[in-house]
């Protein structure tokens, strides 16, 4: 079992719709959770982080965390073609100061 | 403020040849990371430095890979000899002292290696 699992996609949504990206993790002691965006041929950039159960909103982005289910998600409201990218979920496993990345979900927003 | 700088951006070599990548982190960032990213995969940690000390190199294939961070600033990652399976993007990232657990890593543009 991979430490961080994501559906590779592609997830295709129409412009203006809500895109929902999901991630599960195996280490129940994981403490911090991150979403990075990576455009094709570019390096990853941090867009959201969440530490506590529940929702965290930042503009059009909402991160959701459910530690009991070992599940973290990212919602993108009013999706734009410029949101088309690979979204990487990353986790800090319990007791370790490092990031473990999932393989990423490719999102395609079509006009 | 300048970002993380890596060079070369692209490198093509034949198998069994050596190759080296260089990284200059953001000024003041004491933590430096080298990640490997294969096509369609997420970054995988190779080594993490706190200043000049390698604090996590458990995933570094030490038979052919080596890294150093002299004076706690710039870092080099070397592969000798390179194998076909080493073809990937090598990402360098840095983070400041006061955010080791926020997970905000600042990545360079990466060095894309092709081994023929």
């Amino acid at each position: 079992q991979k430490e961080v699992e994501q559906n590779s996609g592609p997830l295709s949504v129409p412009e203006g719709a809500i895109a929902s990206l999901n991630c599960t993790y195996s280490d129940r002691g994981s403490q911090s959770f991150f979403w990075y965006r990576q455009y094709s041929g570019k390096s990853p950039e941090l867009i959201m982080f969440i530490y506590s159960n529940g929702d965290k909103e930042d503009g059009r982005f909402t991160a959701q965390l459910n530690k009991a289910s070992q599940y973290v998600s990212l919602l993108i409201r009013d999706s734009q073609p410029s949101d088309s990218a690979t979204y990487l979920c990353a986790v800090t496993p319990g007791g370790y100061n490092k990031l473990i990345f999932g393989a990423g979900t490719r999102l395609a927003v079509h006009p | 403020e300048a970002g993380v700088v890596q060079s070369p951006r692209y490198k093509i070599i034949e198998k069994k040849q050596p190759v080296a990548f260089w990284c200059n982190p953001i000024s003041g960032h004491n933590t430096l990371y080298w990640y490997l990213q294969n096509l369609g995969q997420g970054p995988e940690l190779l080594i993490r430095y706190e200043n000049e000390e390698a604090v996590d190199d458990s995933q570094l294939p030490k038979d052919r890979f080596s890294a150093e961070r002299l004076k706690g600033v710039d870092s080099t990652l070397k592969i000798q000899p390179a194998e076909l399976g080493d073809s990937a993007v090598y990402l360098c990232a840095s983070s400041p002292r006061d955010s080791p657990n926020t997970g905000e890593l600042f990545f360079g543009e990466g060095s894309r290696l092709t081994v023929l």
Side-chain angles (χ1 to χ4, degrees), chain A:
Chain A
Q1 181 186 14
K2 293 183 178 179
E3 293 184 76
V4 181
E5 297 210 46
Q6 297 181 253
N7 187 318
S8 61
L11 174 65
S12 183
V13 301
E15 185 175 356
I18 296 175
S20 178
L21 305 161
N22 305 315
C23 170
T24 58
Y25 58 94
S26 61
D27 186 337
R28 187 170 289 278
S30 296
Q31 299 172 350
S32 308
F33 309 85
F34 309 87
W35 285 99
Y36 279 75
R37 178 176 61 201
Q38 187 172 27
Y39 291 113
S40 180
K42 300 296 185 182
S43 56
E45 56 178 337
L46 181 68
I47 53 173
M48 289 285 291
F49 63 87
I50 186 167
Y51 302 145
S52 304
N53 277 329
D55 295 359
K56 179 181 179 181
E57 186 174 319
D58 184 0
R60 295 186 296 113
F61 299 96
T62 299
Q64 300 176 317
L65 174 62
N66 183 327
K67 289 187 176 180
S69 299
Q70 296 175 240
Y71 177 94
V72 59
S73 65
L74 179 70
L75 301 178
I76 306 175
R77 290 182 299 281
D78 189 24
S79 295
Q80 301 297 309
S82 60
D83 295 325
S84 298
T86 295
Y87 289 81
L88 299 163
C89 174
V91 172
T92 55
Y96 294 96
N97 185 17
K98 65 181 182 182
L99 280 184
I100 306 296
F101 285 87
T105 298
R106 188 156 60 90
L107 173 66
V109 181
H110 54 85

Side-chain angles (χ1 to χ4, degrees), chain B residues 6-44:
Chain B
Q6 291 188 246
S7 68
R9 290 292 312 279
Y10 304 93
K11 188 75 174 179
I12 301 174
I13 61 172
E14 294 189 347
K15 63 181 180 181
K16 300 185 181 180
Q17 294 300 305
V19 63
F21 306 112
W22 174 81
C23 174
N24 178 242
I26 293 173
S27 178
H29 284 193
N30 71 306
T31 307
L32 184 146
Y33 310 76
W34 282 102
Y35 279 87
L36 175 155
Q37 187 171 26
N38 286 303
L39 186 65
Q41 299 297 315
E44 300 172 34

